[in-house]
Every structure is written in C-alpha cells, then in structure tokens.
Amino acid sequence: MSTQGYEDELRSERGYLAGLYTRLDAERARVRGAYTAALKGTGGTPMERDAEVRALAKEGKRLDVADNGLCFGRLDSLSGERSYIGRIGLFDEENEYEPVLLDWRAPASRAFYVATGANPENMRRRRQFHTRGRHVVDFTDEVLGRPNGAAQGDAALLAAVNAPRGEGLRDIVATIQAEQDQIIRLDHPGVLVIEGGPGTGKTVVALHRVAYLLYTQRERMERHGVLVVGPNPAFLNHIGRVLPSLGESDVVFMTPGDLVPGLRVTAEDTPEAARLKGSLKILDVLAAAVADRQRLPEEPLPIQLKDVPVRIDAATAEWARDEARASGLPHNEARAVFTEIVTYVLTERAIARIGRGWLTRSDREAWEELRADLLKELAEDEQFAAALDELWPILTPETVLAPLYTSPERLRAAGADQALLRADGEAWTVSDVPLLDELVDLLGRDKAADKAVALAAERERKAEAEYAAGVMDILVDRQDSMDDEDHLYATDLLYGEDLADRFVERDTRDLVERAAADRDWTYRHVVVDEAQELSEMDWRVLMRRCPGRSFTVVGDLAQRRSVAGATSWGAMLEPYVPGRWVYRSLTVNYRTPAEIMTVAAAVLAEFAPGVQPPESVRACGVQPWSRRVTSGELSAAIEDFVREEAGREGTSVVIGPPGVPGTVTASETKGLEFDAVLVVDPEQILTTGPRGAAELYVALTRATQRLGVLHQGPLPQSLTGLVDLGAPAQAGNSR
C-alpha cells in the first residue's frame, strides 16, 4: 500500500470507528433513559421493577467498559466482505439489525484469532487497529493465504508484551493467539485443565474463557454466577479488572481462605500440619472428633421431676446414641433422635413408679395424659436440658476444631497426629477452611434454633404487614371523606400499595454479594488458579460449590510449593470427574524475556529435569545480573534498586526469604508480574521449606524486563549464568 493509500485508508477507518462510537453513545443514552424511567416507574410489582433496574444497570456497565478499545480489528474475506471485531456487538437497527461490530466471542470472530498464512480460514486480510482513547492512531495488515508472504500480525502482540506493566492484569482481547483461542472456545462441559509455565498467559486465558462461556451460555450461567479462586488477595486484586473490562460482572473472587463466609484466617500451619490437614485421611479424624462429643455418663445423671426422680444411666444413653448414629442424620439433627429415646425411657420409668398400684397399660387415656404431663415437664426442666448438652451437645464447626487442636487427649481420641496441636485453637489457618466446611455437613443444622429464628421473623413480618394495612385503611378513609373535586389521585393509593409491598422482605443484594455471604451457594462454573497448591480437602470444598462439575483449572505442577498440593492432575480430579476432564497446555512464554528465562530454566532443570520450560516469544536486550554483598551492605543495595526503579515507568518488587526487611516472599507474588525484580539471598530461598527450588523458580520468572540478584553467600550453581556486577560501586553504571 502506498503512503497516500495508507493515509486514505486510515481516514476511512477513523470515520467508521467514529460511527461506531456514535452508535455506542446513542445506545448508552437509551439505556440510561430507561434506567431513570425504571427508577421512577410504577408499573408492575416492586420485585419486577427491581429486576428491571438491575438488568439496565448491568447493561449500562457493559456499555461503559466498551468505550476503551471498542473496535480493535477487521477481517476481509475472500468474497470481499468486511467484519469489524470489538469488545461488544453493535447492530444497525435500520438495516434488519445487521452487525456493524462483531463481539470478539461470536463464532464469526474466531478467524480473527486463528487464521494464518497457511490456513487463512477463507480470509484475505486481518487488520489490527492501534487506538488511543477513541482515536485510531494507526493500523497494521496481515495478508493471509500467502505462507511465505509479508506478515505483521505480531506487531500488536509484541507492543502489548513489551509495554510497561501498570496496576493489574490487562485483558488480551485484541491479541489472543491461536493456541489460546482454541482453549478459550473449547466446548467441554466438564473440567478443563490449562497447564503452562510462567508467562504463558494461562490465567488471562482462563478469564477470557469465563467471558466466552457467559456469552455463549448466559441464560444457564448468569443466575448462579461464576467463582474465581486465586492464591491470595494481591493476586485477586491483580486479575480483578479483566472480566469487568470484558463487560462481565457476575463473578465472585475468593481465596481458599474465603470459602467459609465470615471466617478470618490469621495464622499459618507448619508444612507437616498442612500436609495432615490436606489429606483425605483427616475425614476419619473429623468423624471421630464429632463422635467423641457424643458421650455416655460415667455416673447416672439425676433428673428431679415434680413427682418422682429419674436418672439417665449409661445403658440408656448408649441405646439412644446407637439409634441416633444409625439414623444417618448429621450430628445436630440426630440430637432429636437421641432426645426422643432418652425421653421415652425416662417417661416410661416415671410412669411405672408414679402409677405403681393403680395405673395399668389398659388404662390408655390416663397413661397418655400422664405421659403428656411428663413430656412437658422434661421439656422445661433445666437439669434435663443440661444433661442433653453434656451427652449430645449442639456443635458448630468451630466448637469441634478449636478444642481438638488444643487438647492432646482429644487428638488421641480422634486418632489424630499430635503435630496438629497448637496453643490457640481459634487462630485459623487456610488449611482449616476445608475442615470447617466439612464439619458444616457432618454437624448439620440446629433445627430448634432455626425454628425459633423463623418464628421471630414471621412475627415481625406480621406486625409490619398490619402496620402497612393500617396505612392503607387511613388512605381509603381519606378518599371516602373527600369531595369529588378534592379527590385523592390513584398514584397516592399506589403509594400505599408500594408501602405494603415494602414490608415484604426482599433480598436487594446483587448476585456477588449474596453468593459471597452464602456457604451453600452453588456456581455454574468455577475457575481455580494456582491449582497445583490445592490439597485433596480443598478440592472437596470446591466440588460442593459446583455440583455440575464445570471447572477451568489453571496451574503449573513445577511451581508447586505446598506439600499438600497436587503431584498429578489425575490424582486430584479422577475421584470427582472420572473421564470428564481434559488437559491442554500452553507452551509460549509471553511475559518472561529469553534472557531471564534462560536463567530460570537452569533452576527448573535441577528440581524438575523432565519439565520443558516455555519458549519465550521475545528478548529484551538486558542481561540478568548478580552482585555479592555483605550483611551490612544488603539494606543499602535494596534501597538503591528501589530508588532506581522508582524513576522508571512500570512496576518493581523485591523478593527474598521470609523475614528479610524490605522484601516479600515468592509465594506472595505468585501469578503476578513486574517490569523489574530483585531477588535477595537465593541460597536461603532454596533451603527454606521442602519446595525451596520451586520458590526460587517462581521468584525468577516474575520479571518482564529486568532481573537482578543480591547474594551474601556463594551463588547457587544453577545461577552462575548471571552477569556478575562485582562490587556495589559498579552497579550504577551497569544496569
């Protein structure tokens, strides 16, 4: 294309995209108008109006996020048809709703991502726009169908991966690569495992897959939403903008420590404790710990009734316990069976003693009357209530685990390892979360307490409804007393109806708020990132959250640091989805430049020699460096790095072993990326914990441009490929 031809084409494209923004603005104005009208509207029920307002608010958000990068490409077919590709779909209402912009998830957009010179997908050209705000800066063309012809399709990709990192992960909707697109659009109803080394984009691919599933299966998925589980809050904050930028908001983000609502994780387990808690063998411990609280009295427990004393002896309690356990009900619900048996025995004994000499079984009416009196007396007897609480207490997950962890005797009774013993039983760890969640099902509900709450709520609702009815009566009386010319408008009466409706309790929280607060909420799809860290017990929690077993699992077994984590995907998934999980791998490293990946690959080869490192798509031209410092020089060297990087565009981080001032651990940076990374004391990282080599591998692969290493002892053999900067004074001229 000649220079003049390019300029003419650029003007034409700018005009077309300006027209798209005009349509977007008009649609946005229409939705805002409808939203305002819905807020003021009186038609339909309040619940229907609430639903309409929420739907319009969601549509408004979708249109707002489309403003940035609305259209990023064009496809020209062999037949001469043009299709523009963008974040959302727009249509020409005056021309039978012809698409003027295709949503990137639409089937017709697929060729934009997968067409190549050798396999053009019936396309002649792919055009990629470079925009700034609403302005088209320039474009690049890739001519398809010519395997040996010119191709500039990598220009947008390289510009994206070389750009300085900002706050948070960015979407890749304009630069999705063919291997990524195949995974995003994969039609598989079960579990999809996406494995890839550092920088392969597995996280962002999984998030785009969520956006694709919400687009293609919106009716099925939207009502229950999607759960995204990540390793820590920093990671969730890092990825939290991707789905909103794609117009999707019905997504709940959690760490494994958030899966039990209201629980605060404040402590960390030893590796051995984490291993024990993560194993399915802990299920036997939990069951035994609950059974240990179902006690038999060492001495008979006296109950002083009005007319006769009775006792709960060991034989009675054992019969009641056996019947309660045989019922198959959870512990708290089985208490009713236990209570029924004990009550039966006590009333039979009391009747026999009270009626001795005058009451026979044939006198059924007198017998039943006496039984009813005794039942009422037992129900109100404090001694009886205390005895039940001693023998079969109402338990919560916390009241089972906390005493277990602080008592060597309880641990022995439950068959648990003493490595679980700790001083503060309620200092919860991430590994406690699946145990507490399991206990919710083992214990069941306290139905008596639930009934009391329900009755109180019903009384409150009746009182509020009576008040609303009174308001309506006053309005009607006022209407009857008015003259014809001084009448009450219908809207006033409608207000009265609305007032009554407002006293009907409705949950006005959005889906994300409701799902996050509800332990029993189930999702249509779950994304699990850094999934190699999850234990067998963690997977039980997640499978409860998604009965349909629709998962996107993201991870890299080579980066596993948890001793309770996965050593193979099949071992974790086959028990839950036998034959219903598929595996896909990503092999291209878009984050880590070749210079840094060479260093990281040497570490990988030492602890996972059979794993092939991902191939970097680019080089940065900057060699990773190392410098040996004394303990007295370390703090100043870290400060020098921080000060130097503060003057550059982009992000940076200092990673070290636990306890080194001014650093974070490698586990705290999992899934994150930074323009520059300084790794401190790699020799200590290697020797800290059973998976130290994996920690060091993670630390080295966070950088997108620059990597430095400070070491006090000898440099580990695997890192000898770093450029040695020598004395600290040389550092300022060498980076």
Side-chain angles (χ1 to χ4, degrees):
M1 186 182 299
S2 67
T3 301
Q4 184 59 47
Y6 178 87
E7 292 297 329
D8 291 343
E9 192 77 0
L10 182 59
R11 275 193 297 273
S12 174
E13 298 292 27
R14 284 172 174 167
Y16 191 88
L17 265 67
L20 293 178
Y21 276 109
T22 299
R23 291 180 183 274
L24 177 67
D25 290 339
E27 182 65 8
R28 190 179 288 159
R30 183 193 67 78
V31 170
R32 285 175 179 167
Y35 177 78
T36 301
L39 286 175
K40 298 178 180 179
T42 56
T45 67
M47 192 171 296
E48 289 170 341
R49 295 199 296 273
D50 284 348
E52 183 182 9
V53 167
R54 290 187 187 187
L56 289 168
K58 185 180 296 185
E59 178 65 9
K61 288 181 181 178
R62 186 183 76 90
L63 295 172
D64 286 341
V65 299
D67 199 82
N68 184 28
L70 173 63
C71 176
F72 49 78
R74 189 184 99 184
L75 276 174
D76 296 355
S77 71
L78 292 174
S79 62
E81 295 179 355
R82 293 180 178 178
S83 299
Y84 286 83
I85 315 298
R87 290 182 175 276
I88 64 172
L90 292 175
F91 303 90
D92 184 354
E93 296 88 346
E94 298 178 359
N95 189 19
E96 297 182 351
Y97 280 85
E98 279 292 312
V100 294
L101 181 67
L102 288 175
D103 191 298
W104 67 275
R105 296 165 287 191
S109 299
R110 181 176 176 273
F112 183 79
Y113 299 109
V114 301
T116 64
N119 297 290
E121 302 279 334
N122 294 318
M123 296 297 157
R124 181 173 61 86
R125 174 168 54 194
R126 172 169 45 221
R127 174 168 291 177
Q128 293 175 307
F129 299 118
H130 174 209
T131 60
R132 186 176 296 117
R134 293 189 168 199
H135 180 68
V136 181
V137 178
D138 54 33
F139 65 80
T140 58
D141 281 348
E142 183 177 359
V143 178
L144 304 170
R146 300 178 184 176
N148 299 318
Q152 296 179 320
D154 287 340
L157 172 64
L158 292 175
V161 297
N162 280 313
R165 265 49 183 177
E167 293 185 5
L169 187 65
R170 295 169 293 196
D171 67 64
I172 58 169
V173 62
T175 58
I176 294 171
Q177 300 302 291
E179 72 166 359
Q180 297 172 329
D181 187 79
Q182 290 172 0
I183 294 173
I184 290 170
R185 298 175 192 265
L186 183 66
D187 183 16
H188 179 70
V191 177
L192 166 63
V193 175
I194 307 173
E195 184 164 28
T200 52
K202 52 189 179 293
T203 295
V204 76
V205 167
L207 295 175
H208 283 68
R209 175 169 169 77
V210 168
Y212 176 76
L213 292 174
L214 285 168
Y215 176 81
T216 57
Q217 304 175 32
R218 189 167 301 280
E219 185 174 344
R220 185 183 75 86
M221 296 183 66
E222 197 169 41
R223 185 176 300 173
H224 286 259
V226 173
L227 172 64
V228 175
V229 179
N232 52 58
F235 175 83
L236 295 181
N237 184 59
H238 179 65
I239 69 171
R241 301 180 186 180
V242 174
L243 284 166
S245 77
L246 299 173
E248 302 299 346
S249 57
D250 290 332
V251 180
V252 179
F253 293 89
M254 289 186 179
T255 69
D258 300 326
L259 290 170
V260 172
L263 187 76
R264 289 186 66 244
V265 171
T266 60
E268 186 172 349
D269 275 316
T270 64
E272 178 61 11
R275 184 187 66 79
L276 292 169
K277 292 178 183 180
S279 169
L280 292 181
K281 295 178 181 178
I282 201 70
L283 293 172
D284 293 333
V285 172
L286 296 179
V290 173
D292 186 50
R293 305 293 288 274
Q294 301 162 356
R295 313 302 294 269
L296 303 180
E298 294 181 2
E299 297 291 338
L301 300 177
I303 310 295
Q304 183 61 51
L305 298 179
K306 182 174 56 178
D307 295 323
V308 64
V310 291
R311 301 187 307 170
I312 305 176
D313 54 31
T316 298
E318 186 175 18
W319 177 29
R321 186 180 67 176
D322 291 345
E323 290 294 324
R325 289 176 176 177
S327 71
L329 293 170
H331 169 86
N332 289 334
E333 296 173 29
R335 175 176 158 123
V337 178
F338 181 87
T339 303
E340 183 180 7
I341 298 296
V342 172
T343 302
Y344 170 79
V345 172
L346 295 186
T347 54
E348 285 290 308
R349 289 175 179 172
I351 291 171
R353 295 181 64 182
I354 296 170
R356 185 179 295 129
W358 66 271
L359 184 64
T360 64
R361 287 276 182 182
S362 60
D363 192 354
R364 190 167 191 81
E365 184 176 344
W367 189 282
E368 291 301 329
E369 185 177 342
L370 182 54
R371 173 184 290 279
D373 290 339
L374 289 170
L375 287 174
K376 182 180 179 182
E377 189 174 349
L378 278 175
E380 297 172 350
D381 189 272
E382 293 183 359
Q383 279 186 309
F384 183 61
L388 291 177
D389 288 341
E390 179 181 342
L391 301 177
W392 197 285
I394 292 293
L395 297 173
T396 67
E398 292 82 0
T399 58
V400 172
L401 271 193
L404 180 69
Y405 288 152
T406 56
S407 169
E409 294 77 16
R410 288 188 188 277
L411 286 171
R412 277 194 294 272
D417 195 296
Q418 294 294 312
L420 298 180
L421 191 66
R422 65 191 193 204
D424 186 354
E426 295 186 352
W428 303 116
T429 70
V430 171
S431 301
D432 290 326
V433 171
L435 278 61
L436 292 165
D437 192 72
E438 189 77 32
L439 283 165
V440 172
D441 288 347
L442 278 176
L443 298 175
R445 309 283 299 184
D446 179 358
K447 291 193 172 181
D450 289 348
K451 185 177 181 180
V453 171
L455 288 173
E458 181 62 26
R459 285 195 296 269
E460 185 177 354
R461 278 194 293 270
K462 286 182 178 179
E464 291 171 340
E466 288 172 2
Y467 172 79
V471 172
M472 286 293 296
D473 289 341
I474 292 171
L475 288 172
V476 172
D477 291 343
R478 182 182 166 200
Q479 173 73 47
D480 293 340
S481 65
M482 286 180 175
D483 296 332
D484 291 340
E485 63 274 10
D486 187 26
H487 62 277
L488 194 68
Y489 288 103
T491 52
D492 295 321
L493 287 176
L494 284 173
Y495 169 77
E497 293 173 3
D498 282 346
L499 183 63
D501 283 333
R502 285 172 188 165
F503 285 108
V504 177
E505 188 175 347
R506 296 193 303 274
D507 192 340
T508 58
R509 296 172 298 171
D510 63 21
L511 181 144
V512 171
E513 293 173 314
R514 286 182 286 126
D518 186 355
R519 180 263 175 187
D520 296 321
W521 189 277
T522 57
Y523 298 88
R524 285 292 182 262
H525 190 77
V526 177
V527 175
V528 188
D529 211 318
E530 300 293 341
Q532 73 277 355
E533 307 297 343
L534 299 191
S535 69
E536 293 175 313
M537 288 297 294
D538 289 324
W539 280 107
R540 284 179 65 86
V541 180
L542 293 175
M543 291 296 169
R544 287 190 200 100
R545 302 298 189 270
C546 188
R549 304 291 195 262
S550 178
F551 282 76
T552 299
V553 176
V554 182
D556 179 12
L557 295 178
Q559 295 186 60
R560 176 179 64 87
R561 65 179 290 271
S562 171
V563 293
T567 55
S568 79
W569 299 118
M572 287 296 186
L573 298 175
E574 275 294 323
Y576 303 105
V577 285
R580 285 191 60 226
W581 67 279
V582 296
Y583 175 89
R584 296 291 184 272
S585 64
L586 293 169
T587 59
V588 178
N589 190 332
Y590 300 99
R591 175 209 299 150
T592 318
E595 296 90 343
I596 296 175
M597 198 61 219
T598 299
V599 175
V603 175
L604 178 67
E606 284 202 354
F607 75 93
V611 177
Q612 183 70 26
E615 183 178 355
S616 296
V617 76
R618 66 189 175 97
C620 65
V622 179
Q623 291 298 322
W625 55 268
S626 69
R627 186 201 310 158
R628 187 167 186 171
V629 296
T630 66
S631 59
E633 295 168 335
L634 181 60
S635 294
I638 292 175
E639 291 173 4
D640 286 345
F641 170 84
V642 173
R643 184 167 48 251
E644 185 174 340
E645 289 299 331
R648 288 176 163 155
E649 187 179 3
T651 60
S652 63
V653 71
V654 182
I655 303 175
V660 177
T663 72
V664 298
T665 63
S667 61
E668 292 175 282
T669 66
K670 294 203 77 169
L672 308 183
E673 55 184 30
F674 305 88
D675 292 273
V677 173
L678 180 67
V679 178
V680 175
D681 286 339
E683 62 277 15
Q684 287 191 41
I685 295 176
L686 276 173
T687 57
T688 300
R691 297 285 297 171
E695 289 271 286
L696 181 57
Y697 181 60
V698 170
L700 295 171
T701 53
R702 299 307 94 194
T704 66
Q705 301 291 345
R706 300 175 295 281
L707 173 67
V709 174
L710 296 177
H711 58 107
Q712 299 182 69
L715 199 65
Q717 183 64 33
S718 58
L719 296 182
T720 53
L722 293 167
V723 175
D724 186 358
L725 293 188
Q730 302 175 24
N733 299 322
S734 303
R735 277 179 274 166

